[in-house]
Amino acid sequence: MSADDSVFTGVVAKFYETYLVPLIFEPYALPAVRLLTAPDISEVLEIAAGTGVVTRVLARELATGTAIVATDLNQAMLDQAAAIGTARPVQWRQADAQQLPFPDACFDAVVCQFGAMFFPDRTGAYAEARRVLRPGGRFVFSTWDRIQVNEFADTVIAAMASIFPDDPPRFLARTPHGYHEISTITADVLRAGFGEPRIDTVTERSRAESAHIPALAYCHGTPLRDEIEARGDLDMATAAAERALTARFGTDAVDGMIRAHLVSVRR
């Protein structure tokens, strides 16, 4: 993983929330939160919260007395999340998942949607989640399956390879879809001190009004944007992604498969 893969600037955060969140993140938010719902949960920590798609579901679905702390490495993402708001108060806090600024055993649950792929030390981050969990507490996180079964992302990365054949941008394949082997995920969780995790592979659909939406989402709303701009014109690359998506999914509303792993384990 490149050091820049985990950097989401303000302009990227806005495109991320506007286009990428409804496209691929919203379908998995409620299933993750449902793994946490229990009457004895009083304090929940979210790590790598991004622009707050899961945070908003936590605030809506958990008991009103449950305290929610939402963290992310990138302040720009948290600023976007806070500007959108939640159904009830949430504590927003900038934090590195590998060095959580919280005491031992202070949360009943820790949740992380599609952040694990960005951690340079995943076992260390999982061990930190375990450290801040109370005995019996649940850790839930998700990762994308391989890029070939996430059809919009696969199409966009192929389009980038066609216009930059000598040095294709590889962010999508390298990082979001680069941590998909169940055996590897399981081994990392075990090394962090947890027991055997439950891993469910869940297929959903990604839908948009036109191919223009996923082209904008991936080319403007992820660090792929920086890779493109280092090689050429962003608008030209976005148009190439749109043409490829149109060729594969049609000229009207588009519908593609997405697939992810939902991981759940108790301390």
Side-chain angles (χ1 to χ4, degrees), residues 23 29 33 88 143 148 180 207 259:
L23 193 70
V33 172
R88 56 190 173 91
T143 69
Q148 291 82 0
H180 58 80
R207 298 181 176 93
R259 183 180 293 167

Side-chain angles (χ1 to χ4, degrees), residues 48-71:
T51 57
V53 59
V54 170
T55 322
R56 294 189 285 275
V57 177
L58 288 169
R60 186 183 72 231
E61 296 292 324
L62 297 184
T64 55
T66 304
I68 303 168
V69 180
T71 68

Side-chain angles (χ1 to χ4, degrees), residues 14 82 145 179 225:
K14 185 170 182 178
D145 200 353
Y179 185 55
R225 177 188 186 124

Side-chain angles (χ1 to χ4, degrees), residues 75-113:
Q75 187 62 45
M77 299 290 267
L78 293 177
D79 291 343
Q80 184 73 32
I84 297 166
T86 51
R88 56 190 173 91
V90 166
Q91 180 184 349
W92 305 102
R93 186 163 177 179
Q94 192 276 336
D96 185 341
Q98 298 163 125
Q99 295 179 314
L100 293 172
F102 306 106
D104 295 353
C106 61
F107 293 100
D108 301 303
V110 176
V111 61
C112 176
Q113 179 174 255

Side-chain angles (χ1 to χ4, degrees), residues 36 60 113 116 132 146 161 167 184 193-196 206 253:
L36 302 179
R60 186 183 72 231
Q113 179 174 255
V132 302
R146 57 196 175 92
D167 185 21
T184 301
F194 287 103
E196 190 81 15
S206 186

